Amino acid sequence: MRSSRGIPGSPALALLPLLLLMGGCSDAYKPVIIVHGIFDGPKELEGLSGFIEAVHPGTEVVLIDLLNYKFSMAPMWKQVDEFGKVIKSIMQRSPEGVHLLCFSQGGLICRGVLSLIPNHNVHTFISLSSPLAGQFGDTEYLNRVIPALAKTKVHLFCYSKWGQRLSICDYWKDPHYTSAYLRNNIFLPLLNGEKEDSYLAEWKENFLRIKKLVLIGGPDDGVITPWQSSHFAFYDSEENVVEMRNQEFYVKDTFGLQTLDARGDLSVCVQSGVKHVEWHSNFTVFTSCMEEWLV
């Protein structure tokens, strides 16, 4: 597993004209598909698109305009299905392969898409500050969805049939109520192979078609909780963070994470000083964690 750390810089949009002059040949650049996060839309990720186009001129960058803002609270499997249709159509006209760059909640949507689509041609999957192992924290985002509940009570709503109709509940993982999470959460436990399903072997095979998995996150994110969830780590029952390689889904290789690591196709990038809403507009994050993989 490759790991890198760095100090974030400004978005550096002023550098884009210079970078355009420095860019190389566009023939080798695969299309990049960008998927937004919760309460976001394509507009919020235009800066990231600009970085890609400046450093790799001629790259086709597709900001998917779908289930934006309040509609991003739709159930996760619904979003996987709808984003999957768009992503599949782009892949079909890109036989050379594509890259998938997915922010926040979008990282889980893209994981679902990669698991469900057989014979996909995604080369690099970049997960940018996504709650890959789950979410458990009082944040502005939680309060916007469920304003009256503290995190210790959220499980009462999220692990109900009504709660499972909201995206954030589909990856809410209360470490104090693991049994209820496994029994009633219809999205994340399946995606991570934490409970048995007849499709797990097929989903694992599909996911492992990617050539590179890049995980990006940092300690000052302020939304992803614990922030290490962006690197597949999560709390135990005492809220101590258990790192990725000690997670059961890694040890059992339920969806292929251990296999990717053993292949040398897993890269982890940690950046301090970056707030959650800044990841996609921070030029240092782009150059340190993403640029080399988007060719």
Side-chain angles (χ1 to χ4, degrees):
M1 176 179 68
R2 175 175 176 173
S3 179
S4 61
R5 292 177 178 265
I7 300 173
S10 69
L13 289 171
L15 292 176
L16 295 187
L18 176 61
L19 292 169
L20 282 168
L21 294 175
M22 296 170 59
C25 175
S26 65
D27 291 345
Y29 301 142
K30 295 177 176 61
V32 179
I33 304 168
I34 300 178
V35 175
H36 65 77
I38 193 170
F39 300 128
D40 281 340
K43 181 177 177 58
E44 282 70 26
L45 285 91
E46 287 178 351
L48 184 55
S49 175
F51 293 156
I52 297 168
E53 293 169 348
V55 174
H56 296 153
T59 301
E60 179 188 5
V61 181
V62 182
L63 287 160
I64 297 182
D65 187 2
L66 183 68
L67 293 168
N68 306 324
Y69 307 111
K70 67 179 181 179
F71 299 105
S72 66
M73 292 188 292
M76 289 296 284
W77 285 124
K78 173 182 171 62
Q79 298 201 53
V80 168
D81 178 62
E82 296 198 21
F83 275 96
K85 291 174 182 175
V86 177
I87 292 170
K88 188 174 182 178
S89 69
I90 298 169
M91 291 191 298
Q92 287 174 338
R93 59 180 170 82
S94 308
E96 73 281 11
V98 301
H99 300 307
L100 204 50
L101 202 173
C102 310
F103 173 61
S104 193
Q105 176 179 279
L108 287 170
I109 293 169
C110 291
R111 279 198 56 216
V113 170
L114 290 169
S115 298
L116 266 60
I117 297 181
N119 301 316
H120 68 74
N121 62 357
V122 172
H123 189 280
T124 297
F125 168 36
I126 298 177
S127 176
L128 180 59
S129 188
S130 300
L132 299 171
Q135 172 73 9
F136 183 66
D138 283 317
T139 68
E140 174 193 349
Y141 289 76
L142 176 65
N143 292 331
R144 288 167 70 178
V145 178
I146 316 172
L149 291 177
K151 74 173 185 179
T152 56
K153 302 296 184 183
V154 171
H155 70 98
L156 296 172
F157 174 73
C158 274
Y159 300 156
S160 69
K161 66 177 181 179
W162 303 109
Q164 289 296 291
R165 297 180 181 181
L166 290 178
S167 63
I168 193 171
C169 285
D170 288 343
Y171 49 89
W172 184 260
K173 187 175 182 179
D174 190 323
H176 307 290
Y177 295 91
T178 302
S179 295
Y181 161 75
L182 293 173
R183 183 173 60 252
N184 300 317
N185 189 309
I186 62 173
F187 179 73
L188 190 61
L190 289 172
L191 193 63
N192 282 347
E194 294 174 287
K195 60 182 179 182
E196 292 297 326
D197 188 273
S198 59
Y199 293 104
L200 287 183
E202 178 184 342
W203 290 1
K204 178 178 178 179
E205 181 179 357
N206 294 340
F207 185 69
L208 284 172
R209 290 183 61 84
I210 63 173
K211 304 299 187 293
K212 177 67 67 173
L213 173 61
V214 181
L215 308 176
I216 304 170
D220 302 302
D221 180 274
V223 171
I224 306 302
T225 312
W227 71 266
Q228 296 94 331
S229 181
S230 59
H231 300 147
F232 282 108
F234 203 72
Y235 293 130
D236 63 15
S237 61
E238 297 180 352
E239 297 191 33
N240 299 308
V241 174
V242 179
E243 68 106 24
M244 176 187 70
R245 289 193 179 97
N246 291 326
Q247 292 291 329
E248 187 174 0
F249 52 69
Y250 179 94
V251 174
K252 292 184 176 180
D253 202 26
T254 55
F255 62 89
L257 189 59
Q258 184 185 134
T259 297
L260 285 170
D261 196 6
R263 279 178 9 193
D265 293 331
L266 175 60
S267 177
V268 172
C269 189
V270 179
Q271 292 279 321
S272 300
V274 185
K275 294 184 180 358
H276 190 68
V277 296
E278 298 171 347
W279 288 104
H280 44 70
S281 61
N282 188 298
F283 188 63
T284 299
V285 170
F286 174 75
T287 56
S288 300
C289 304
M290 294 182 253
E291 179 184 354
E292 66 176 301
W293 308 116
L294 298 176
V295 295

